[in-house]
Amino acid sequence: MSSSARQAPLPRHIAIIMDGNGRWAQQRGELRHAGHKAGVRPVRMCIKECARRGIDHLTLFAFSSENWGRPDEEVSSLMSLFVEALDSELDELHANGVRLRFIGNRNAFPVRLQARLAAAEARTADNTGLGLHVAVSYGGRWDLTEAARQLAARCVSGGLRPADITEADLAAQLQLAGAPDPDLFIRTGGERRISNFLLWNLAYTELHFCDTLWPDFDVEDFEVALAYFAGRERRFGLTAARPPSGA
Ligand code: FPP
């Protein structure tokens, strides 16, 4: 087979920081909420493209631990948008075999919203298609702190010795336990940082930053990110493009 006919390597797991909604709205003289609302379209596009291409997992940063500090009006409009999106999209996600999971500190949400998130997860739990992880009230430091608490509790109860704790033990307590680490990270909106997202899981992830504001992120931008990934030589700290076993 010629090299051009060979398929470009695809990420198994893509993680995205969807940034730029507020600026997109401001540029149009609209309220920030208009930007968040317009941000639902590229969410749909990414889910569709990942499912179509056989990418196993997609993780979206929808609301960070720090976002609670935004004006009350913006926080509550975002909550309403999540509920609306759940209502309007869940049937289709389910019909397309998507397994929906929410990662983050859900205890921070109103009880009724927590129940809706749990019901959506339960409904799609047996699906075998794309694993869609939506990070809500999520922070990488919170995730690691929670994992440390779980391990400490096992040590106190006598089930685990501190000296025996392995990286795998810690990884198994994290919110994305069971999913492979993201291969490709995308951040839209021009900033070049990871902003407390998946601090552990992004250790060897290829990082792609693009200037497009999230509501404008389209299939072409998505393909540019995939092409960037395909062109990377992944060494995982080794000297050749040979991942350690299990990666
Ligand atoms: C960051 O842009 C975006 C958010 C905090 C919210 C993301 C939410 C959506 C895209 C809505 C749809 C999501 C789902 C899962 C249905 P920003 O407000 O920080 O933008 P700025 O940097 O321009 O101010």
Side-chain angles (χ1 to χ4, degrees), residues 127-188:
N127 290 342
T128 55
L130 175 72
L132 176 61
H133 313 267
V134 181
V136 285
S137 192
Y138 178 86
R141 290 181 175 177
W142 168 85
D143 197 359
L144 282 164
T145 306
E146 281 300 304
R149 282 201 187 108
Q150 301 294 332
L151 294 179
R154 281 172 56 196
C155 288
V156 169
S157 70
L160 185 64
R161 292 190 326 156
D164 292 338
I165 295 173
T166 62
E167 290 188 7
D169 290 328
L170 200 140
Q173 299 300 330
L174 293 171
Q175 296 284 297
L176 277 183
D181 286 342
D183 304 294
L184 173 64
F185 162 95
I186 301 170
R187 181 177 187 144
T188 61

Short mmCIF file of all heavy atoms in Angstrom, two decimals, residues 127-188:
data_model
loop_
_atom_site.label_atom_id
_atom_site.label_comp_id
_atom_site.label_asym_id
_atom_site.label_seq_id
_atom_site.Cartn_x
_atom_site.Cartn_y
_atom_site.Cartn_z
N ASN A 127 -24.89 1.63 26.03
CA ASN A 127 -24.52 1.90 24.64
C ASN A 127 -23.04 1.58 24.41
O ASN A 127 -22.23 1.67 25.33
CB ASN A 127 -24.81 3.36 24.27
CG ASN A 127 -26.31 3.63 24.20
OD1 ASN A 127 -27.10 2.69 24.10
ND2 ASN A 127 -26.70 4.88 24.26
N THR A 128 -22.73 1.24 23.18
CA THR A 128 -21.36 0.80 22.91
C THR A 128 -20.64 1.72 21.91
O THR A 128 -19.55 1.39 21.44
CB THR A 128 -21.37 -0.64 22.34
OG1 THR A 128 -22.24 -0.65 21.20
CG2 THR A 128 -21.87 -1.64 23.37
N GLY A 129 -21.27 2.84 21.59
CA GLY A 129 -20.63 3.75 20.63
C GLY A 129 -19.70 4.74 21.31
O GLY A 129 -19.04 4.42 22.32
N LEU A 130 -19.67 5.95 20.79
CA LEU A 130 -18.78 6.99 21.32
C LEU A 130 -18.99 7.21 22.83
O LEU A 130 -20.13 7.35 23.29
CB LEU A 130 -19.09 8.31 20.58
CG LEU A 130 -18.34 9.56 21.08
CD1 LEU A 130 -16.87 9.50 20.69
CD2 LEU A 130 -18.99 10.83 20.53
N GLY A 131 -17.91 7.25 23.58
CA GLY A 131 -17.98 7.62 24.99
C GLY A 131 -17.87 9.14 25.08
O GLY A 131 -16.83 9.70 24.74
N LEU A 132 -18.96 9.79 25.48
CA LEU A 132 -18.97 11.26 25.55
C LEU A 132 -18.91 11.68 27.02
O LEU A 132 -19.82 11.37 27.79
CB LEU A 132 -20.25 11.79 24.89
CG LEU A 132 -20.48 13.30 24.97
CD1 LEU A 132 -19.37 14.07 24.28
CD2 LEU A 132 -21.84 13.65 24.34
N HIS A 133 -17.81 12.33 27.39
CA HIS A 133 -17.62 12.74 28.78
C HIS A 133 -17.77 14.26 28.84
O HIS A 133 -16.98 14.98 28.21
CB HIS A 133 -16.23 12.34 29.28
CG HIS A 133 -15.87 10.92 28.94
ND1 HIS A 133 -16.09 9.88 29.80
CD2 HIS A 133 -15.33 10.37 27.81
CE1 HIS A 133 -15.70 8.75 29.23
NE2 HIS A 133 -15.24 9.02 28.01
N VAL A 134 -18.76 14.72 29.55
CA VAL A 134 -18.97 16.17 29.64
C VAL A 134 -18.51 16.62 31.03
O VAL A 134 -19.04 16.16 32.05
CB VAL A 134 -20.45 16.53 29.40
CG1 VAL A 134 -20.65 18.04 29.48
CG2 VAL A 134 -20.91 16.01 28.04
N ALA A 135 -17.50 17.50 31.05
CA ALA A 135 -16.95 17.96 32.32
C ALA A 135 -17.74 19.15 32.82
O ALA A 135 -17.80 20.20 32.16
CB ALA A 135 -15.47 18.32 32.14
N VAL A 136 -18.37 18.97 33.96
CA VAL A 136 -19.19 20.04 34.55
C VAL A 136 -18.74 20.24 35.99
O VAL A 136 -18.59 19.28 36.73
CB VAL A 136 -20.70 19.68 34.50
CG1 VAL A 136 -21.26 19.84 33.10
CG2 VAL A 136 -20.97 18.28 35.02
N SER A 137 -18.53 21.48 36.39
CA SER A 137 -17.97 21.79 37.70
C SER A 137 -16.72 20.94 37.90
O SER A 137 -16.53 20.31 38.94
CB SER A 137 -18.98 21.53 38.82
OG SER A 137 -18.50 22.09 40.02
N TYR A 138 -15.91 20.90 36.88
CA TYR A 138 -14.70 20.06 36.89
C TYR A 138 -13.45 20.92 37.05
O TYR A 138 -13.35 22.02 36.49
CB TYR A 138 -14.59 19.27 35.57
CG TYR A 138 -13.33 18.43 35.55
CD1 TYR A 138 -13.31 17.17 36.11
CD2 TYR A 138 -12.13 18.96 35.04
CE1 TYR A 138 -12.13 16.43 36.14
CE2 TYR A 138 -10.96 18.23 35.08
CZ TYR A 138 -10.97 16.96 35.63
OH TYR A 138 -9.81 16.23 35.70
N GLY A 139 -12.50 20.41 37.80
CA GLY A 139 -11.17 21.01 37.89
C GLY A 139 -10.16 19.87 38.04
O GLY A 139 -10.43 18.90 38.77
N GLY A 140 -9.04 19.97 37.36
CA GLY A 140 -8.03 18.90 37.44
C GLY A 140 -7.48 18.75 38.86
O GLY A 140 -7.23 17.63 39.32
N ARG A 141 -7.33 19.85 39.56
CA ARG A 141 -6.80 19.76 40.93
C ARG A 141 -7.85 19.13 41.85
O ARG A 141 -7.51 18.35 42.74
CB ARG A 141 -6.38 21.14 41.43
CG ARG A 141 -5.15 21.64 40.72
CD ARG A 141 -4.74 22.99 41.24
NE ARG A 141 -3.49 23.40 40.61
CZ ARG A 141 -2.90 24.56 40.82
NH1 ARG A 141 -3.44 25.45 41.64
NH2 ARG A 141 -1.76 24.84 40.23
N TRP A 142 -9.12 19.48 41.62
CA TRP A 142 -10.20 18.86 42.40
C TRP A 142 -10.19 17.34 42.16
O TRP A 142 -10.29 16.55 43.11
CB TRP A 142 -11.54 19.47 41.99
CG TRP A 142 -12.72 18.70 42.50
CD1 TRP A 142 -13.30 18.82 43.73
CD2 TRP A 142 -13.42 17.64 41.82
NE1 TRP A 142 -14.31 17.89 43.86
CE2 TRP A 142 -14.41 17.17 42.72
CE3 TRP A 142 -13.30 17.04 40.57
CZ2 TRP A 142 -15.28 16.13 42.37
CZ3 TRP A 142 -14.16 16.02 40.23
CH2 TRP A 142 -15.13 15.57 41.12
N ASP A 143 -10.05 16.94 40.91
CA ASP A 143 -10.06 15.52 40.53
C ASP A 143 -8.94 14.77 41.27
O ASP A 143 -9.16 13.71 41.89
CB ASP A 143 -9.86 15.44 39.00
CG ASP A 143 -10.25 14.10 38.39
OD1 ASP A 143 -10.66 13.20 39.13
OD2 ASP A 143 -10.13 13.98 37.15
N LEU A 144 -7.74 15.36 41.25
CA LEU A 144 -6.60 14.71 41.91
C LEU A 144 -6.79 14.69 43.43
O LEU A 144 -6.44 13.70 44.10
CB LEU A 144 -5.30 15.46 41.55
CG LEU A 144 -4.77 15.13 40.16
CD1 LEU A 144 -3.74 16.15 39.70
CD2 LEU A 144 -4.16 13.72 40.14
N THR A 145 -7.35 15.77 43.97
CA THR A 145 -7.56 15.83 45.42
C THR A 145 -8.56 14.77 45.86
O THR A 145 -8.36 14.07 46.86
CB THR A 145 -8.06 17.24 45.83
OG1 THR A 145 -7.14 18.20 45.32
CG2 THR A 145 -8.16 17.39 47.33
N GLU A 146 -9.64 14.62 45.08
CA GLU A 146 -10.63 13.59 45.39
C GLU A 146 -10.02 12.20 45.34
O GLU A 146 -10.29 11.34 46.18
CB GLU A 146 -11.79 13.65 44.39
CG GLU A 146 -12.78 14.73 44.64
CD GLU A 146 -13.45 14.59 46.01
OE1 GLU A 146 -14.02 13.53 46.30
OE2 GLU A 146 -13.37 15.54 46.81
N ALA A 147 -9.18 11.98 44.33
CA ALA A 147 -8.53 10.67 44.20
C ALA A 147 -7.64 10.41 45.41
O ALA A 147 -7.63 9.30 45.98
CB ALA A 147 -7.71 10.61 42.91
N ALA A 148 -6.91 11.45 45.84
CA ALA A 148 -6.03 11.29 47.02
C ALA A 148 -6.87 10.96 48.25
O ALA A 148 -6.49 10.10 49.06
CB ALA A 148 -5.23 12.58 47.24
N ARG A 149 -8.03 11.62 48.36
CA ARG A 149 -8.91 11.34 49.52
C ARG A 149 -9.35 9.88 49.52
O ARG A 149 -9.39 9.24 50.56
CB ARG A 149 -10.17 12.21 49.45
CG ARG A 149 -9.95 13.60 49.88
CD ARG A 149 -11.28 14.26 50.31
NE ARG A 149 -11.01 15.65 50.56
CZ ARG A 149 -11.41 16.65 49.77
NH1 ARG A 149 -12.14 16.41 48.71
NH2 ARG A 149 -11.09 17.89 50.05
N GLN A 150 -9.72 9.38 48.36
CA GLN A 150 -10.19 7.98 48.27
C GLN A 150 -9.09 7.02 48.69
O GLN A 150 -9.32 6.07 49.43
CB GLN A 150 -10.62 7.62 46.83
CG GLN A 150 -11.71 8.47 46.24
CD GLN A 150 -13.03 8.28 46.98
OE1 GLN A 150 -13.28 7.22 47.55
NE2 GLN A 150 -13.84 9.32 47.01
N LEU A 151 -7.87 7.29 48.19
CA LEU A 151 -6.76 6.39 48.53
C LEU A 151 -6.43 6.49 50.02
O LEU A 151 -6.16 5.48 50.69
CB LEU A 151 -5.52 6.72 47.68
CG LEU A 151 -5.65 6.44 46.18
CD1 LEU A 151 -4.36 6.83 45.45
CD2 LEU A 151 -5.97 4.96 45.91
N ALA A 152 -6.48 7.72 50.55
CA ALA A 152 -6.19 7.91 51.98
C ALA A 152 -7.21 7.14 52.82
O ALA A 152 -6.85 6.49 53.82
CB ALA A 152 -6.22 9.40 52.33
N ALA A 153 -8.48 7.18 52.39
CA ALA A 153 -9.52 6.47 53.15
C ALA A 153 -9.24 4.96 53.15
O ALA A 153 -9.42 4.30 54.17
CB ALA A 153 -10.90 6.76 52.55
N ARG A 154 -8.77 4.44 52.01
CA ARG A 154 -8.46 3.01 51.96
C ARG A 154 -7.27 2.68 52.85
O ARG A 154 -7.19 1.60 53.43
CB ARG A 154 -8.19 2.58 50.51
CG ARG A 154 -9.50 2.40 49.73
CD ARG A 154 -9.25 2.18 48.26
NE ARG A 154 -8.38 1.06 47.97
CZ ARG A 154 -7.78 0.86 46.79
NH1 ARG A 154 -7.96 1.72 45.82
NH2 ARG A 154 -7.01 -0.19 46.60
N CYS A 155 -6.33 3.61 52.95
CA CYS A 155 -5.17 3.39 53.83
C CYS A 155 -5.62 3.39 55.29
O CYS A 155 -5.24 2.51 56.07
CB CYS A 155 -4.11 4.47 53.62
SG CYS A 155 -3.25 4.32 52.05
N VAL A 156 -6.48 4.35 55.63
CA VAL A 156 -6.95 4.45 57.03
C VAL A 156 -7.73 3.19 57.42
O VAL A 156 -7.60 2.67 58.52
CB VAL A 156 -7.83 5.72 57.21
CG1 VAL A 156 -8.54 5.71 58.55
CG2 VAL A 156 -6.96 6.96 57.09
N SER A 157 -8.53 2.69 56.46
CA SER A 157 -9.33 1.49 56.79
C SER A 157 -8.48 0.22 56.78
O SER A 157 -8.97 -0.86 57.09
CB SER A 157 -10.50 1.35 55.81
OG SER A 157 -9.97 0.99 54.54
N GLY A 158 -7.23 0.34 56.41
CA GLY A 158 -6.32 -0.82 56.45
C GLY A 158 -6.31 -1.62 55.16
O GLY A 158 -5.60 -2.61 55.05
N GLY A 159 -7.09 -1.19 54.14
CA GLY A 159 -7.16 -1.95 52.90
C GLY A 159 -5.97 -1.71 51.97
O GLY A 159 -5.80 -2.42 50.97
N LEU A 160 -5.19 -0.69 52.23
CA LEU A 160 -4.09 -0.33 51.32
C LEU A 160 -2.94 0.24 52.15
O LEU A 160 -3.19 0.98 53.12
CB LEU A 160 -4.62 0.74 50.36
CG LEU A 160 -3.74 1.23 49.23
CD1 LEU A 160 -3.43 0.11 48.24
CD2 LEU A 160 -4.44 2.38 48.49
N ARG A 161 -1.70 -0.15 51.77
CA ARG A 161 -0.54 0.44 52.47
C ARG A 161 0.00 1.58 51.61
O ARG A 161 0.16 1.40 50.39
CB ARG A 161 0.55 -0.61 52.65
CG ARG A 161 0.16 -1.71 53.64
CD ARG A 161 1.33 -2.59 53.99
NE ARG A 161 2.26 -2.77 52.86
CZ ARG A 161 3.54 -3.08 52.98
NH1 ARG A 161 4.07 -3.25 54.17
NH2 ARG A 161 4.31 -3.24 51.91
N PRO A 162 0.30 2.75 52.22
CA PRO A 162 0.80 3.88 51.41
C PRO A 162 1.94 3.48 50.49
O PRO A 162 1.98 3.91 49.33
CB PRO A 162 1.25 4.89 52.47
CG PRO A 162 0.39 4.60 53.65
CD PRO A 162 0.14 3.11 53.64
N ALA A 163 2.84 2.63 50.98
CA ALA A 163 4.00 2.26 50.16
C ALA A 163 3.59 1.44 48.93
O ALA A 163 4.36 1.33 47.98
CB ALA A 163 4.99 1.46 51.00
N ASP A 164 2.38 0.86 48.97
CA ASP A 164 1.95 0.02 47.84
C ASP A 164 1.17 0.80 46.78
O ASP A 164 0.76 0.24 45.76
CB ASP A 164 1.05 -1.12 48.35
CG ASP A 164 1.84 -2.11 49.19
OD1 ASP A 164 3.08 -2.16 49.02
OD2 ASP A 164 1.22 -2.80 50.02
N ILE A 165 0.90 2.08 47.04
CA ILE A 165 0.09 2.86 46.08
C ILE A 165 0.85 3.02 44.76
O ILE A 165 2.02 3.41 44.75
CB ILE A 165 -0.26 4.26 46.64
CG1 ILE A 165 -1.17 4.11 47.87
CG2 ILE A 165 -0.94 5.13 45.58
CD1 ILE A 165 -1.43 5.43 48.59
N THR A 166 0.17 2.68 43.67
CA THR A 166 0.79 2.78 42.33
C THR A 166 0.11 3.89 41.52
O THR A 166 -0.97 4.37 41.89
CB THR A 166 0.61 1.46 41.55
OG1 THR A 166 -0.80 1.26 41.38
CG2 THR A 166 1.21 0.28 42.30
N GLU A 167 0.72 4.24 40.42
CA GLU A 167 0.09 5.21 39.51
C GLU A 167 -1.27 4.68 39.04
O GLU A 167 -2.23 5.43 38.91
CB GLU A 167 1.00 5.47 38.30
CG GLU A 167 2.24 6.26 38.67
CD GLU A 167 3.06 6.69 37.46
OE1 GLU A 167 2.59 6.49 36.31
OE2 GLU A 167 4.16 7.22 37.67
N ALA A 168 -1.33 3.37 38.82
CA ALA A 168 -2.59 2.78 38.36
C ALA A 168 -3.67 2.94 39.42
O ALA A 168 -4.85 3.16 39.10
CB ALA A 168 -2.39 1.31 38.01
N ASP A 169 -3.30 2.81 40.72
CA ASP A 169 -4.29 3.00 41.80
C ASP A 169 -4.86 4.41 41.74
O ASP A 169 -6.06 4.63 41.89
CB ASP A 169 -3.64 2.80 43.18
CG ASP A 169 -3.28 1.35 43.44
OD1 ASP A 169 -4.00 0.47 42.94
OD2 ASP A 169 -2.26 1.09 44.12
N LEU A 170 -3.97 5.39 41.54
CA LEU A 170 -4.45 6.77 41.51
C LEU A 170 -5.33 7.01 40.27
O LEU A 170 -6.43 7.57 40.36
CB LEU A 170 -3.27 7.75 41.54
CG LEU A 170 -3.72 9.14 41.99
CD1 LEU A 170 -2.71 9.78 42.92
CD2 LEU A 170 -3.99 10.05 40.83
N ALA A 171 -4.85 6.51 39.13
CA ALA A 171 -5.61 6.71 37.89
C ALA A 171 -7.01 6.10 38.00
O ALA A 171 -7.98 6.63 37.46
CB ALA A 171 -4.86 6.10 36.72
N ALA A 172 -7.11 4.99 38.74
CA ALA A 172 -8.39 4.30 38.86
C ALA A 172 -9.40 5.10 39.69
O ALA A 172 -10.60 4.81 39.67
CB ALA A 172 -8.18 2.92 39.49
N GLN A 173 -8.93 6.10 40.43
CA GLN A 173 -9.84 6.93 41.23
C GLN A 173 -10.25 8.20 40.51
O GLN A 173 -11.10 8.95 41.00
CB GLN A 173 -9.16 7.34 42.56
CG GLN A 173 -8.77 6.20 43.45
CD GLN A 173 -9.97 5.36 43.87
OE1 GLN A 173 -11.08 5.87 43.97
NE2 GLN A 173 -9.74 4.09 44.08
N LEU A 174 -9.63 8.47 39.36
CA LEU A 174 -9.91 9.73 38.67
C LEU A 174 -11.23 9.65 37.92
O LEU A 174 -11.75 8.56 37.65
CB LEU A 174 -8.77 10.06 37.70
CG LEU A 174 -7.43 10.39 38.37
CD1 LEU A 174 -6.32 10.47 37.31
CD2 LEU A 174 -7.50 11.69 39.16
N GLN A 175 -11.74 10.81 37.58
CA GLN A 175 -13.05 10.88 36.92
C GLN A 175 -13.07 10.15 35.57
O GLN A 175 -14.09 9.63 35.17
CB GLN A 175 -13.44 12.35 36.71
CG GLN A 175 -13.64 13.11 38.00
CD GLN A 175 -14.95 12.77 38.68
OE1 GLN A 175 -16.01 13.01 38.13
NE2 GLN A 175 -14.88 12.19 39.88
N LEU A 176 -11.95 10.13 34.87
CA LEU A 176 -11.93 9.46 33.56
C LEU A 176 -11.45 8.01 33.66
O LEU A 176 -11.05 7.43 32.65
CB LEU A 176 -11.05 10.22 32.58
CG LEU A 176 -11.66 11.43 31.86
CD1 LEU A 176 -10.65 12.03 30.87
CD2 LEU A 176 -12.95 11.07 31.12
N ALA A 177 -11.48 7.44 34.85
CA ALA A 177 -11.03 6.05 35.03
C ALA A 177 -11.76 5.15 34.03
O ALA A 177 -12.96 5.30 33.82
CB ALA A 177 -11.32 5.58 36.45
N GLY A 178 -11.02 4.27 33.39
CA GLY A 178 -11.64 3.35 32.44
C GLY A 178 -11.50 3.83 31.00
O GLY A 178 -11.58 3.04 30.07
N ALA A 179 -11.29 5.13 30.80
CA ALA A 179 -11.09 5.65 29.43
C ALA A 179 -9.58 5.82 29.21
O ALA A 179 -8.86 6.14 30.15
CB ALA A 179 -11.78 7.00 29.27
N PRO A 180 -9.12 5.61 27.98
CA PRO A 180 -7.69 5.87 27.73
C PRO A 180 -7.41 7.36 27.88
O PRO A 180 -8.33 8.17 27.74
CB PRO A 180 -7.50 5.43 26.27
CG PRO A 180 -8.86 5.51 25.66
CD PRO A 180 -9.86 5.25 26.75
N ASP A 181 -6.17 7.72 28.18
CA ASP A 181 -5.82 9.14 28.25
C ASP A 181 -6.10 9.80 26.90
O ASP A 181 -5.94 9.15 25.85
CB ASP A 181 -4.34 9.32 28.59
CG ASP A 181 -4.05 9.01 30.05
OD1 ASP A 181 -4.99 9.00 30.87
OD2 ASP A 181 -2.87 8.76 30.37
N PRO A 182 -6.48 11.08 26.90
CA PRO A 182 -6.68 11.75 25.60
C PRO A 182 -5.39 11.71 24.77
O PRO A 182 -4.30 11.88 25.30
CB PRO A 182 -7.03 13.19 26.00
CG PRO A 182 -7.57 13.09 27.38
CD PRO A 182 -6.82 11.96 28.03
N ASP A 183 -5.55 11.45 23.47
CA ASP A 183 -4.41 11.49 22.55
C ASP A 183 -4.25 12.89 22.00
O ASP A 183 -3.14 13.32 21.69
CB ASP A 183 -4.65 10.53 21.38
CG ASP A 183 -4.91 9.13 21.87
OD1 ASP A 183 -3.98 8.53 22.44
OD2 ASP A 183 -6.06 8.66 21.72
N LEU A 184 -5.38 13.56 21.85
CA LEU A 184 -5.38 14.91 21.26
C LEU A 184 -6.20 15.85 22.12
O LEU A 184 -7.34 15.54 22.49
CB LEU A 184 -5.96 14.84 19.84
CG LEU A 184 -6.19 16.17 19.13
CD1 LEU A 184 -4.87 16.91 18.88
CD2 LEU A 184 -6.93 15.96 17.79
N PHE A 185 -5.60 16.99 22.45
CA PHE A 185 -6.28 18.06 23.18
C PHE A 185 -6.45 19.23 22.21
O PHE A 185 -5.51 19.58 21.49
CB PHE A 185 -5.40 18.46 24.37
CG PHE A 185 -5.71 19.81 24.98
CD1 PHE A 185 -6.55 19.91 26.08
CD2 PHE A 185 -5.12 20.97 24.49
CE1 PHE A 185 -6.81 21.15 26.66
CE2 PHE A 185 -5.38 22.21 25.07
CZ PHE A 185 -6.23 22.30 26.16
N ILE A 186 -7.64 19.80 22.18
CA ILE A 186 -7.88 20.98 21.33
C ILE A 186 -8.38 22.10 22.23
O ILE A 186 -9.27 21.88 23.06
CB ILE A 186 -8.97 20.69 20.26
CG1 ILE A 186 -8.57 19.50 19.36
CG2 ILE A 186 -9.24 21.93 19.42
CD1 ILE A 186 -9.71 19.01 18.44
N ARG A 187 -7.80 23.29 22.07
CA ARG A 187 -8.38 24.46 22.73
C ARG A 187 -8.63 25.52 21.67
O ARG A 187 -7.71 25.91 20.95
CB ARG A 187 -7.45 25.03 23.81
CG ARG A 187 -8.09 26.24 24.49
CD ARG A 187 -7.27 26.82 25.61
NE ARG A 187 -8.04 27.87 26.28
CZ ARG A 187 -8.02 28.13 27.57
NH1 ARG A 187 -7.24 27.43 28.37
NH2 ARG A 187 -8.75 29.09 28.09
N THR A 188 -9.85 25.99 21.61
CA THR A 188 -10.19 27.06 20.68
C THR A 188 -10.02 28.40 21.40
O THR A 188 -9.75 28.46 22.59
CB THR A 188 -11.65 26.93 20.19
OG1 THR A 188 -12.52 27.02 21.32
CG2 THR A 188 -11.88 25.61 19.48
#
